[in-house]
Amino acid sequence: MSQVHIHPSAIVDDGAQIGENTRVWHWVHICGGAQIGAGCSFGQNVFVGNDVLIGDNVKVQNNVSIYDAVTLEDDVFCGPSMVFTNVNNPRSHVARKNEYRRTLVKRGASIGANATVVCGHTIGEYAFVGAGAVVTRDVPAYALMVGTPAKRIGWMCSCGERLANDIGTHSCPACGKHYEVGGNHCSPLKND
């Protein structure tokens, strides 16, 4: 774990794989089976389970628990105190570790503060889940999701700016990248 900054109060269990230039801050616990890429940052009081895969340049803000069966691809942002679940119908007196449902957060997606991602779903690349939203189904790539349960209210550019919502070809007002927006999909044009 060369060039990894681990705060003295953090606990990194033997066996955890952590990429270079990753920062692990105060009171973080990373379990031994976790696989973490390079250039990541884990804020205060973060927990990372054993069966967790995290790509490069992932930012996890304070008070986030990434439980078993969660995969975060490159460039994912997890806002403060957002929540991942891994069992759909938990009961204290019923063991359900063999029923964990996998959650996949694709490249570049952002999840806002205090949002909840119910297990068993995929959040598409560069999707944006607003603060406090509750994700109960798959989220399309580039979708802007808000509310409880989360509903798509628009589309987002990979740079993080909101796109026009009507069907057709649109360019990002900030970076100029072009997108084709359909009824239930948004995709970047290949010649950009």
Side-chain angles (χ1 to χ4, degrees), residues 82 110-116 127-135 143-147 150-151:
M82 63 81 44
S110 292
I111 304 169
N114 294 307
T116 299
F128 195 100
V129 176
V134 178
V135 174
L144 172 58
M145 306 291 288
V146 299
K151 291 183 170 60

Tab-separated table of all heavy atoms in Angstrom, residues 82 110-116 127-135 143-147 150-151:
chain	number	residue	atom	x	y	z
A	82	MET	N	-25.219	9.217	2.688
A	82	MET	CA	-26.092	8.422	1.810
A	82	MET	C	-25.994	6.963	2.240
A	82	MET	O	-25.081	6.576	2.953
A	82	MET	CB	-25.768	8.617	0.329
A	82	MET	CG	-24.410	8.202	-0.178
A	82	MET	SD	-24.158	6.434	-0.541
A	82	MET	CE	-25.615	5.955	-1.396
A	110	SER	N	-23.252	10.159	-9.587
A	110	SER	CA	-23.212	10.901	-8.325
A	110	SER	C	-24.475	10.600	-7.533
A	110	SER	O	-25.573	10.600	-8.086
A	110	SER	CB	-23.142	12.408	-8.578
A	110	SER	OG	-21.918	12.770	-9.153
A	111	ILE	N	-24.287	10.374	-6.221
A	111	ILE	CA	-25.406	10.115	-5.325
A	111	ILE	C	-25.363	11.177	-4.234
A	111	ILE	O	-24.369	11.305	-3.524
A	111	ILE	CB	-25.323	8.700	-4.719
A	111	ILE	CG1	-25.243	7.647	-5.829
A	111	ILE	CG2	-26.509	8.444	-3.796
A	111	ILE	CD1	-24.904	6.259	-5.349
A	112	GLY	N	-26.431	11.959	-4.110
A	112	GLY	CA	-26.458	13.094	-3.205
A	112	GLY	C	-26.557	12.725	-1.741
A	112	GLY	O	-26.847	11.583	-1.368
A	113	ALA	N	-26.343	13.724	-0.906
A	113	ALA	CA	-26.387	13.565	0.548
A	113	ALA	C	-27.719	12.978	0.995
A	113	ALA	O	-28.779	13.337	0.479
A	113	ALA	CB	-26.164	14.914	1.223
A	114	ASN	N	-27.650	12.050	1.936
A	114	ASN	CA	-28.822	11.430	2.563
A	114	ASN	C	-29.708	10.645	1.604
A	114	ASN	O	-30.828	10.286	1.968
A	114	ASN	CB	-29.652	12.471	3.319
A	114	ASN	CG	-28.915	13.029	4.501
A	114	ASN	OD1	-28.438	12.276	5.342
A	114	ASN	ND2	-28.788	14.334	4.558
A	115	ALA	N	-29.256	10.362	0.395
A	115	ALA	CA	-30.019	9.503	-0.519
A	115	ALA	C	-29.909	8.064	-0.038
A	115	ALA	O	-28.966	7.697	0.665
A	115	ALA	CB	-29.491	9.635	-1.941
A	116	THR	N	-30.888	7.239	-0.434
A	116	THR	CA	-30.872	5.821	-0.119
A	116	THR	C	-30.970	5.035	-1.416
A	116	THR	O	-31.816	5.327	-2.255
A	116	THR	CB	-32.056	5.439	0.793
A	116	THR	OG1	-31.939	6.163	2.023
A	116	THR	CG2	-32.077	3.951	1.084
A	127	ALA	N	-25.299	9.103	-14.088
A	127	ALA	CA	-26.595	9.461	-13.502
A	127	ALA	C	-26.346	10.357	-12.295
A	127	ALA	O	-25.261	10.372	-11.711
A	127	ALA	CB	-27.360	8.207	-13.088
A	128	PHE	N	-27.375	11.099	-11.915
A	128	PHE	CA	-27.283	12.016	-10.784
A	128	PHE	C	-28.503	11.797	-9.895
A	128	PHE	O	-29.630	12.084	-10.305
A	128	PHE	CB	-27.249	13.465	-11.280
A	128	PHE	CG	-26.812	14.452	-10.247
A	128	PHE	CD1	-25.517	14.930	-10.225
A	128	PHE	CD2	-27.706	14.912	-9.294
A	128	PHE	CE1	-25.109	15.851	-9.270
A	128	PHE	CE2	-27.317	15.826	-8.335
A	128	PHE	CZ	-26.012	16.308	-8.321
A	129	VAL	N	-28.269	11.259	-8.689
A	129	VAL	CA	-29.336	11.005	-7.727
A	129	VAL	C	-29.316	12.159	-6.733
A	129	VAL	O	-28.315	12.371	-6.038
A	129	VAL	CB	-29.136	9.655	-7.019
A	129	VAL	CG1	-30.195	9.448	-5.941
A	129	VAL	CG2	-29.145	8.512	-8.028
A	130	GLY	N	-30.394	12.926	-6.674
A	130	GLY	CA	-30.458	14.114	-5.832
A	130	GLY	C	-30.447	13.796	-4.347
A	130	GLY	O	-30.757	12.682	-3.909
A	131	ALA	N	-30.116	14.793	-3.558
A	131	ALA	CA	-30.075	14.657	-2.103
A	131	ALA	C	-31.423	14.176	-1.577
A	131	ALA	O	-32.473	14.660	-1.989
A	131	ALA	CB	-29.705	15.990	-1.464
A	132	GLY	N	-31.379	13.184	-0.698
A	132	GLY	CA	-32.579	12.672	-0.051
A	132	GLY	C	-33.436	11.744	-0.886
A	132	GLY	O	-34.442	11.237	-0.400
A	133	ALA	N	-33.064	11.488	-2.132
A	133	ALA	CA	-33.858	10.604	-2.996
A	133	ALA	C	-33.766	9.160	-2.508
A	133	ALA	O	-32.792	8.777	-1.857
A	133	ALA	CB	-33.374	10.700	-4.439
A	134	VAL	N	-34.778	8.356	-2.830
A	134	VAL	CA	-34.782	6.937	-2.496
A	134	VAL	C	-34.900	6.151	-3.795
A	134	VAL	O	-35.943	6.150	-4.445
A	134	VAL	CB	-35.936	6.582	-1.531
A	134	VAL	CG1	-35.930	5.085	-1.237
A	134	VAL	CG2	-35.813	7.380	-0.238
A	135	VAL	N	-33.815	5.475	-4.171
A	135	VAL	CA	-33.763	4.717	-5.417
A	135	VAL	C	-34.338	3.331	-5.181
A	135	VAL	O	-33.808	2.563	-4.374
A	135	VAL	CB	-32.315	4.622	-5.947
A	135	VAL	CG1	-32.227	3.720	-7.172
A	135	VAL	CG2	-31.777	6.013	-6.266
A	143	ALA	N	-29.428	10.031	-16.152
A	143	ALA	CA	-30.708	10.469	-15.584
A	143	ALA	C	-30.510	11.343	-14.359
A	143	ALA	O	-29.600	11.124	-13.556
A	143	ALA	CB	-31.554	9.255	-15.218
A	144	LEU	N	-31.384	12.317	-14.185
A	144	LEU	CA	-31.465	13.131	-12.980
A	144	LEU	C	-32.667	12.627	-12.190
A	144	LEU	O	-33.806	12.723	-12.646
A	144	LEU	CB	-31.635	14.609	-13.338
A	144	LEU	CG	-31.927	15.564	-12.176
A	144	LEU	CD1	-30.834	15.505	-11.118
A	144	LEU	CD2	-32.103	16.988	-12.705
A	145	MET	N	-32.409	12.068	-11.003
A	145	MET	CA	-33.438	11.415	-10.194
A	145	MET	C	-33.621	12.175	-8.877
A	145	MET	O	-32.643	12.480	-8.196
A	145	MET	CB	-33.027	9.979	-9.878
A	145	MET	CG	-32.681	9.129	-11.089
A	145	MET	SD	-34.079	8.722	-12.132
A	145	MET	CE	-34.935	7.529	-11.105
A	146	VAL	N	-34.883	12.449	-8.519
A	146	VAL	CA	-35.177	13.094	-7.239
A	146	VAL	C	-36.443	12.480	-6.648
A	146	VAL	O	-37.254	11.884	-7.361
A	146	VAL	CB	-35.353	14.627	-7.376
A	146	VAL	CG1	-34.080	15.280	-7.890
A	146	VAL	CG2	-36.532	14.970	-8.248
A	147	GLY	N	-36.626	12.659	-5.347
A	147	GLY	CA	-37.874	12.286	-4.694
A	147	GLY	C	-37.872	10.921	-4.043
A	147	GLY	O	-36.899	10.188	-4.048
A	150	ALA	N	-37.565	7.735	-5.996
A	150	ALA	CA	-36.900	8.586	-6.979
A	150	ALA	C	-37.551	8.453	-8.353
A	150	ALA	O	-37.858	7.351	-8.798
A	150	ALA	CB	-35.423	8.221	-7.067
A	151	LYS	N	-37.764	9.610	-8.977
A	151	LYS	CA	-38.318	9.670	-10.333
A	151	LYS	C	-37.387	10.512	-11.194
A	151	LYS	O	-36.781	11.467	-10.703
A	151	LYS	CB	-39.705	10.308	-10.312
A	151	LYS	CG	-40.747	9.449	-9.638
A	151	LYS	CD	-42.113	10.113	-9.730
A	151	LYS	CE	-43.239	9.247	-9.304
A	151	LYS	NZ	-43.313	8.722	-8.034
